[in-house]
Amino acid sequence: QVQLVESGGGVVQPGGSLTLSCAASGFTFRGSSMSWVRRSLGKGVEWIATVANVGGAAQYADSVKGRFFISRDNANNMLYLQMNDVRPDDTAVYYCTKYSSRYSPTSQGTQVTVSS
């Protein structure tokens, strides 16, 4: 079964950086486009980035474009999100998902809190 385990969250000051990781198992990782999504208090799931299964082509939501960077390591079944110049409204629980399930995350996620 699909298993996705996120890590790397924490408290970061505005303008700071953080890298999230996601360990994937239970499916053919290199065959799946992967996404990061987030959910903040009182809001629905927001898609923020997708990376293609091969080649590394990426797409970003306008809210994070130029600040966040998604990448993957197919050899080790890992997905990453480099977060730069974070803002208070980036505070959320972040989830990695298969692209096809991007609006229905089922993993635990990792909390990112941006606060001074």
Side-chain angles (χ1 to χ4, degrees):
Q1 79 205 45
V2 174
Q3 190 163 20
L4 300 164
V5 180
E6 301 90 347
S7 62
V11 179
V12 58
Q13 292 188 339
S17 297
L18 205 62
T19 300
L20 306 184
S21 300
C22 171
S25 61
F27 65 104
T28 305
F29 182 75
R30 65 181 179 276
S32 298
S33 292
M34 296 294 295
S35 297
W36 285 97
V37 300
R38 65 187 181 189
R39 178 159 32 208
S40 51
L41 203 60
K43 295 184 181 179
V45 173
E46 178 189 10
W47 167 81
I48 55 174
T50 293
V51 62
N53 58 323
V54 292
Q59 294 180 311
Y60 299 92
D62 287 345
S63 58
V64 306
K65 198 174 293 182
R67 300 188 298 122
F68 291 11
F69 298 94
I70 188 172
S71 62
R72 64 191 296 159
D73 177 354
N74 285 345
N76 292 296
N77 290 0
M78 294 293 296
L79 183 72
Y80 302 99
L81 184 70
Q82 174 69 40
M83 306 169 63
N84 300 321
D85 190 23
V86 296
R87 304 166 180 169
D89 59 4
D90 293 323
T91 295
V93 178
Y94 285 73
Y95 305 88
C96 65
T97 71
K98 296 173 73 173
Y99 176 75
S100 56
S101 306
R102 63 196 181 280
Y103 291 115
S104 53
T106 58
S107 50
Q108 280 216 304
T110 187
Q111 173 72 48
V112 173
T113 301
V114 182
S115 174
S116 54

